[in-house]
Amino acid sequence: MIQFEHYLIVSALLFCIGLLGVLTRKNLLVLYMSLELMLNAANLALVAASRFHDNLNGQIMVFFIITVAAAEVSVGLALIVALFRRRQTTNVQDLSELKL
Amino acid sequence: MIETLFFITFALLTLICALLVVANPFSRNPVTSAMFLVLTIISMAGLFVLLNAFFLAAVQVVVYAGAVIVLFLFVIMLLDIEEEERRKLKQFSVYSGILVAGVVAVIAITAILSSGIGAYASASPVIQGNPAPLGKILFRDYLLPFEILSILLLVAMVGAILLSKKDLK
């Protein structure tokens, strides 16, 4: 029988895969996709908690997270397009002006 | 029994596709990553169905696979980033990234297993997956956050249009 812990472990592993992508990839677009993976890991944990604790508030939270993620992606991709128009790159190693 | 089988299938599919999004050994093309992200999202919708969250499974497929990934693909194909994929990864950053993610995974899984969090879970869930109670909660208890969220979407839309204009004046 599948327990609450199993879903939480899948969620933790998914979060760590997203973290791995954020830490190792250099392309801004793939970095954004890794961020989406991490948000989805949180969603999975919240839905599992909602199911196993008989409380629908977790599902409402996931609904809000999905909406905020959609807004975040639209603004972030617009920023990437503006950045590419100015600098002709989406590689994070070429964007290091703020580094000391 | 059949539920366990479906859980294992969808969980493995989610994790393998997620791994192929970030670390595909055959292709570093962002389009490939986006396609595997679609597969990840859809197998995660399968997990949501197993958790009796049918409405969220539908929203997941429509909003993520239908809107967000299409937006990603639009931008990838709009920007011509062919030369990006030939650049070499630094060995040190790859190994340190794997180390950090692995340590975080070990810490999280140990914490989950040793906390006994499953003991508080109810054995027989009462949530039947009917979207009507969800709508009642959303429009009764969470009406103000819902309206604020609509304003947030409007602001995001205006911001995205403004940011992608040619000259920011």
Side-chain angles (χ1 to χ4, degrees):
Chain A
M1 193 58 202
I2 297 303
Q3 298 295 321
F4 188 26
E5 288 99 330
H6 298 116
Y7 284 99
L8 284 183
I9 286 171
V10 172
S11 163
L13 286 175
L14 196 63
F15 184 87
C16 290
I17 290 172
L19 184 66
L20 178 71
V22 171
L23 288 175
T24 55
R25 295 301 294 260
K26 300 294 175 216
N27 190 324
L28 264 179
L29 288 155
V30 181
L31 236 75
Y32 248 81
M33 292 178 204
S34 307
L35 283 179
E36 292 303 313
L37 280 182
M38 291 163 85
L39 279 171
N40 269 302
N43 283 353
L44 183 60
L46 279 169
V47 174
S50 152
R51 153 78 148 73
F52 286 101
H53 287 217
D54 297 329
N55 191 338
L56 276 174
N57 287 333
Q59 293 197 17
I60 302 282
M61 192 67 79
V62 172
F63 184 72
F64 286 160
I65 291 176
I66 288 177
T67 320
V68 172
E72 173 234 328
V73 162
S74 67
V75 174
L77 287 178
L79 273 173
I80 292 176
V81 169
L83 194 68
F84 188 82
R85 194 176 278 142
R86 183 165 291 213
R87 306 284 304 276
Q88 304 296 317
T89 181
T90 57
N91 192 305
V92 286
Q93 285 177 324
D94 297 338
L95 309 166
S96 55
E97 273 74 42
L98 288 180
K99 214 192 241 174
L100 286 174
Chain B
M1 183 58 218
I2 192 101
E3 199 195 332
T4 311
L5 200 67
F6 271 115
F7 172 77
I8 292 169
T9 311
F10 282 128
L12 277 183
L13 214 58
T14 306
L15 291 177
I16 290 170
C17 291
L19 202 59
L20 286 173
V21 171
V22 300
N24 195 329
F26 304 110
S27 157
R28 299 250 304 278
N29 197 332
V31 178
T32 321
S33 292
M35 287 308 174
F36 277 112
L37 190 56
V38 173
L39 283 179
T40 314
I41 298 296
I42 288 174
S43 36
M44 241 174 99
L47 285 179
F48 283 8
V49 169
L50 285 182
L51 287 166
N52 281 0
F54 304 128
F55 176 69
L56 281 180
V59 166
Q60 177 93 349
V61 171
V62 170
V63 174
Y64 267 113
V68 171
I69 312 289
V70 169
L71 200 61
F72 267 116
L73 285 175
F74 249 56
V75 172
I76 292 168
M77 299 196 174
L78 199 66
L79 317 175
D80 188 24
I81 36 181
E82 235 175 301
E83 51 97 21
E84 295 292 334
E85 55 180 313
R86 283 192 220 114
R87 203 179 296 218
K88 278 179 80 177
L89 287 172
K90 266 195 210 142
Q91 291 293 317
F92 175 71
S93 78
V94 172
Y95 288 134
S96 54
I98 290 172
L99 182 70
V100 170
V103 167
V104 172
V106 169
I107 290 173
I109 289 173
T110 320
I112 290 165
L113 289 181
S114 64
S115 68
I117 197 169
Y120 298 104
S122 64
S124 58
V126 294
I127 293 176
Q128 292 304 317
N130 187 1
L134 200 64
K136 275 188 188 132
I137 295 179
L138 185 62
F139 290 110
R140 191 177 295 143
D141 302 343
Y142 290 92
L143 187 60
L144 182 64
F146 183 81
E147 296 295 339
I148 292 173
L149 209 58
S150 66
I151 295 174
L152 175 77
L153 279 177
L154 180 70
V155 170
M157 191 176 75
V158 172
I161 292 171
L162 193 72
L163 282 171
S164 22
K165 273 175 71 165
K166 202 115 214 176
D167 43 349
L168 284 170
K169 289 265 167 62

